[in-house]
Every structure is written in C-alpha cells, then in structure tokens.
Amino acid sequence: MSQSVAIYPGSFDPLTNGHGDIITRAASLFKTLVVAVAHNPNKKTIFTPEERVALIQEEFGSKFENVEVVSHSGLLVDFARERKARVVVRGLRAVSDYDYETQLALMNRRLAPEIETLFLAAREDCSYISSSVVKQIATFGGDVSAIVPPAVKRALDEKYRLGLIKG
Ligand code: ADP
C-alpha cells in the first residue's frame, strides 16, 4: 500500500474532524492520498468546490507532503483511473452508513473491478460528527469549534455573519 495512490472522495461540505481523522490515517497508509471534493452542480452546498478545496488544503496542505486536494466532477471511477489509483477510501461511522456505502462500493466495483473500496472505521470520538450536523448547528449560530478545524469554524462564522446560512 505504501507505494500506491488512494482517493478519498466526498462532499466535504464542510470538512469536519471526522474527515480529518480519515485523511490523517489514510495518508499514513498510502504513498499519495488524493482528497477528491465532489463538484455536483445539482447538489446544493454551503461552500463552493473551490472553498471546500481551499479549507482542506489549509488544514492538511502543509501537514502532509503526500496529500493532494482537488475537486472533480463526473464518475469517481473515471477520476480514479485517470489518477492511476487502485483504492478508494471511505469512512464508516454507524450501521446507518453501511447500506449506502456498500451500495456505492458494489456499484463502483461493477464499473471498475480493478479498484477496491477500503473502509476505515470512524474514531469513536468522531463517530457522531457529520457535515450535516455541523451545518445544522452553524445555521443557528451555534459553536462548532469542537468538531471542525479552526479554519472551517471561521469560514462558517463568516457565512453566518453575511447571512449566507440561515435557520
Ligand atoms: P458524501 O456526500 O460522499 O457521503 P461526505 O463528505 O459526507 O461525502 O463523506 C465523505 C466520506 O467520509 C464518507 O465515506 C463518510 O462516511 C465519511 N465520513 C463522514 N464523516 C465522518 C466521520 N465523522 N468519521 C469517519 N468518516 C466520516
């Protein structure tokens, strides 16, 4: 594994400490970890793909030399092939993630049998954290500093101040 490229795809709207834990652990397993921020114009997000990439970059760009952060649109398996990645990393929190994640993994395997999905179990103190919980709290001006990196907290506070996220 230490010689290969892995992709960690997701919406990251926004990056949480749970995502951060997966990035940290996956970065130690692979030569290169590409964090791929999904750009789906049909999905409403608080942060633009560029903002999401910049926030992850700010947190991890200088921490790990082998972590790249990019945005991508289109099929994940096409992107993985383009980057010559054999592994897609995903995080598993509770049973509630299992159905969706295995469905995705099986579909990706059908589309690209040479690519494996690797699940990392969430750290127990991160297993309740999700981007949607973060957004719900931020919508009402609540404090998310314990569950997101400082740069994300600042960016959420700014969106709230500008009235760009409202309850
Ligand atoms: P997506 O829209 O692709 O599910 P997310 O940004 O919500 O994007 O999640 C990306 C991946 O990170 C998913 O595999 C998800 O299960 C995982 N993940 C999200 N939050 C956590 C967490 N707190 N701990 C571990 N994994 C997580």
Side-chain angles (χ1 to χ4, degrees):
M1 295 213 286
S2 61
Q3 290 309 305
S4 53
V5 180
I7 310 265
Y8 177 33
S11 307
F12 305 103
D13 185 47
L15 173 74
T16 68
N17 289 347
H19 294 127
D21 174 54
I22 299 290
I23 293 172
T24 302
R25 288 158 58 203
S28 74
L29 292 173
F30 297 96
K31 181 160 179 269
T32 305
L33 179 70
V34 181
V35 180
V37 174
H39 180 190
N40 178 356
N42 298 321
K43 203 166 162 183
K44 209 173 156 287
T45 55
I46 290 190
F47 292 97
T48 65
E50 294 74 23
E51 288 172 325
R52 285 178 272 152
V53 167
L55 286 169
I56 303 170
Q57 190 72 49
E58 186 168 344
E59 183 64 15
F60 290 102
S62 54
K63 223 179 251 178
F64 299 111
E65 271 181 9
N66 63 334
V67 172
E68 271 178 52
V69 191
V70 295
S71 78
H72 88 98
S73 51
L75 277 182
L76 175 65
V77 290
D78 289 342
F79 178 70
R81 279 176 169 159
E82 200 181 292
R83 294 301 315 255
K84 301 198 177 358
R86 292 283 318 280
V87 174
V88 168
V89 174
R90 296 283 289 179
L92 274 185
R93 283 160 295 187
V95 182
S96 49
D97 280 342
Y98 182 84
D99 275 353
Y100 174 68
E101 291 292 339
T102 47
Q103 199 183 356
L104 204 67
L106 292 175
M107 186 46 71
N108 283 336
R109 186 190 296 161
R110 180 164 287 268
L111 294 170
E114 79 281 13
I115 297 171
E116 281 295 347
T117 299
L118 177 75
F119 294 118
L120 295 184
R123 214 171 65 189
E124 60 271 35
D125 59 329
C126 289
S127 62
Y128 68 96
I129 305 174
S130 66
S131 296
S132 36
V133 161
V134 167
K135 281 184 275 197
Q136 273 170 30
I137 299 172
T139 296
F140 299 105
D143 182 9
V144 291
S145 53
I147 55 176
V148 298
V152 174
K153 155 105 173 86
R154 281 196 300 275
L156 282 165
D157 287 347
E158 183 65 1
K159 294 255 178 207
Y160 182 74
R161 194 180 65 78
L162 296 172
L164 296 173
I165 40 177
K166 285 195 201 88

